[in-house]
Amino acid sequence: MKVLQNSSLKPYNSFGIDVKAERFVSVSSLEELKSVLMGNYAEELFVLGGGSNMLLTKDITATVLHINLKGIKVVQETEDFVYIQANAGENWHEFVLWTLAHDYGGLENLSLIPGNIGSSPIQNIGAYGVELKDHFVSCEAIDIQTIEMMNFNAEECDFGYRNSIFKNKVKGKYIITSVTFKLSKKNHQLYTNYGSINEALEESGITNPSIQDVSNAVIRIRQQKLPDPRELGNSGSFFKNPVISAGAFQELQKEYPEMPHYKISENEFKIPGGWLIDRAGFKGFREGDAGVHKNQALVLVNYGTATGKEILNLAKKIQVKIQSQFKIALEPEVNIF
Ligand code: EPU
């Protein structure tokens, strides 16, 4: 375990923002993690996982703690299901590919989501009609203050849309060290009705899809719409899809009858933020190296040398326009530091 001084965080955040960490330490075992938490650096820590859901706007003066805990193991098995524990530093998509290679079903719709296992419960990652919570059993986490190991089951995590207890009540209190999933071994339940999965399967001439086919379809759809962070810096959806009241929705629908929407209760509708930003004329907009992706307006991108502040300014500009044009407040989905 080495402590680096004045280390660039550019390789550690998918937006590719070049800020410095005054101190940077990467831990590969629970023992190393505990020793950091007990040591001199524990007073002020900045916990870094896959770095795929954050915008860094300034140098980090706290000690950056990179969670690099690796390992995947089967912890329990029945005839129909398997329980798999993955450590926090495993890459999410590589883990999904591992489950598919073993023919374990459940995570195929969540293929190609950037980030690591440890961050996945924090915002209850989701795509194409499936959310992490649908296959989550529990997670282990370490209390930063007391260095005690804790276990959280699904109910305790209080999952919501891109939300959990780790973003609210216990924010900053724990470091997630592993996550346990329950996946199917046979009779896999497929969710292909959402978005264009069925179309993508049809295009490939697949009528009786396997979980691997669904994963491949999701990968193809994502690659068409979403930029690859290795080629173009980004953090996926920058904003959440806003939820508005039925009254506000009816008013807007008069002016924009084509507006896509999902009814989520008698009095609430969810509107795709990407559509709002697109409609406001920002799709493909670029200001220096900060931009709005040309294929999916909910995604902000870094063309190379944008600073976090420049991306944030663009985000604010978009929020102001959406507020004035649609009377809707867009809320960031990424964490801003
Ligand atoms: N749309 C536009 N213009 C755009 C973008 C979208 O008109 O530039 C319209 C689309 O035509 C569609 C609707 O908006 O009618 C929804 O778009 P899409 O299916 O691309 O999904 P989304 O709601 O924008 C959400 C998640 C994504 C996830 C997809 C697929 C959020 C904040 N984002 O996006 O998650 O991959 O659904 O399930 O919920 C992420 O969280 O980082 C992420 C990429």
Side-chain angles (χ1 to χ4, degrees):
M1 189 174 68
K2 235 174 47 192
V3 179
L4 303 175
Q5 313 282 342
N6 283 323
S7 185
S8 169
L9 292 177
K10 193 172 159 82
Y12 293 96
N13 71 99
S14 64
F15 247 125
I17 305 290
D18 194 7
V19 294
K20 284 198 168 48
E22 259 180 43
R23 281 173 306 281
F24 178 94
V25 57
S26 182
V27 293
S28 315
S29 69
L30 273 182
E31 289 66 39
E32 286 186 354
L33 174 56
K34 285 179 185 168
S35 82
V36 170
L37 295 182
M38 282 188 285
N40 296 333
Y41 300 112
E43 281 114 56
E44 229 208 314
L45 283 177
F46 181 96
V47 181
L48 180 68
S52 66
N53 203 39
M54 56 166 56
L55 178 65
L56 299 168
T57 63
K58 50 181 182 291
D59 289 342
I60 308 290
T61 51
T63 299
V64 172
L65 174 58
H66 179 233
I67 307 298
N68 196 29
L69 306 171
K70 301 282 190 196
I72 299 171
K73 65 174 187 237
V74 171
V75 286
Q76 197 189 330
E77 237 175 305
T78 64
E79 208 176 303
D80 298 321
F81 294 103
V82 60
Y83 293 76
I84 302 165
Q85 184 179 31
N87 284 336
E90 287 288 342
N91 173 272
W92 174 266
H93 180 60
E94 280 166 28
F95 172 63
V96 172
L97 293 181
W98 182 94
T99 64
L100 293 167
H102 289 78
D103 206 28
Y104 298 146
L107 303 181
E108 53 281 356
N109 291 40
L110 304 180
S111 298
L112 214 61
I113 294 185
N116 286 355
I117 293 283
S119 338
S120 63
I122 300 178
Q123 60 146 350
N124 181 26
I125 57 172
Y128 307 103
V130 175
E131 285 183 330
L132 169 110
K133 72 170 170 54
D134 303 329
H135 300 281
F136 175 97
V137 177
S138 63
C139 65
E140 282 184 339
I142 190 162
D143 185 318
I144 293 176
Q145 291 303 320
T146 65
I147 318 188
E148 243 179 306
M149 291 301 294
M150 300 282 291
N151 199 283
F152 293 86
N153 64 28
E155 202 184 317
E156 287 162 339
C157 288
D158 197 18
F159 291 121
Y161 167 60
R162 297 290 190 277
N163 211 351
S164 77
I165 190 173
F166 302 106
K167 268 188 151 180
N168 296 295
K169 229 167 93 190
V170 300
K171 190 173 177 179
K173 195 168 157 35
Y174 297 98
I175 295 170
I176 294 172
T177 55
S178 74
V179 181
T180 301
F181 300 89
K182 181 184 177 183
L183 303 177
S184 54
K185 284 166 71 178
K186 53 186 181 192
N187 305 325
H188 304 305
Q189 279 269 324
L190 301 184
Y191 294 93
T192 59
N193 289 330
Y194 191 97
S196 35
I197 298 184
N198 271 332
E199 280 164 42
L201 288 168
E202 266 168 45
E203 268 169 36
S204 319
I206 295 167
T207 46
N208 187 15
S210 64
I211 51 176
Q212 291 80 7
D213 293 329
V214 174
S215 166
N216 288 333
V218 167
I219 289 173
R220 240 176 315 132
I221 297 166
R222 288 188 75 101
Q223 282 173 339
Q224 275 161 18
K225 277 196 179 179
L226 299 167
D228 181 343
R230 286 168 303 187
E231 286 158 21
L232 187 59
N234 75 91
S235 269
S237 302
F238 192 89
F239 300 102
K240 289 187 195 179
N241 282 331
V243 174
I244 61 174
S245 70
F249 169 68
Q250 275 146 18
E251 275 308 302
L252 273 175
Q253 217 188 14
K254 282 184 205 153
E255 202 174 334
Y256 306 100
E258 75 289 7
M259 179 170 68
H261 54 273
Y262 318 98
K263 188 173 179 174
I264 55 173
S265 73
E266 273 317 305
N267 345 326
E268 286 176 316
F269 286 79
K270 189 185 269 184
I271 311 295
W275 183 86
L276 296 169
I277 299 169
D278 186 346
R279 189 65 211 228
F282 279 110
K283 196 169 187 165
F285 177 82
R286 178 170 175 172
E287 207 170 46
D289 269 357
V292 178
H293 189 49
K294 63 179 187 348
N295 298 334
Q296 168 44 298
L298 201 54
V299 177
L300 302 190
V301 295
N302 172 10
Y303 283 100
T305 60
T307 63
K309 286 202 173 81
E310 284 164 348
I311 304 269
L312 189 60
N313 282 340
L314 173 58
K316 284 183 179 153
K317 195 180 246 183
I318 292 169
Q319 284 172 312
V320 169
K321 181 76 172 33
I322 300 303
Q323 181 67 47
S324 74
Q325 186 170 344
F326 301 100
K327 309 279 174 293
I328 292 179
L330 279 185
E331 218 185 287
E333 197 226 333
V334 302
N335 299 301
I336 297 163
F337 297 99

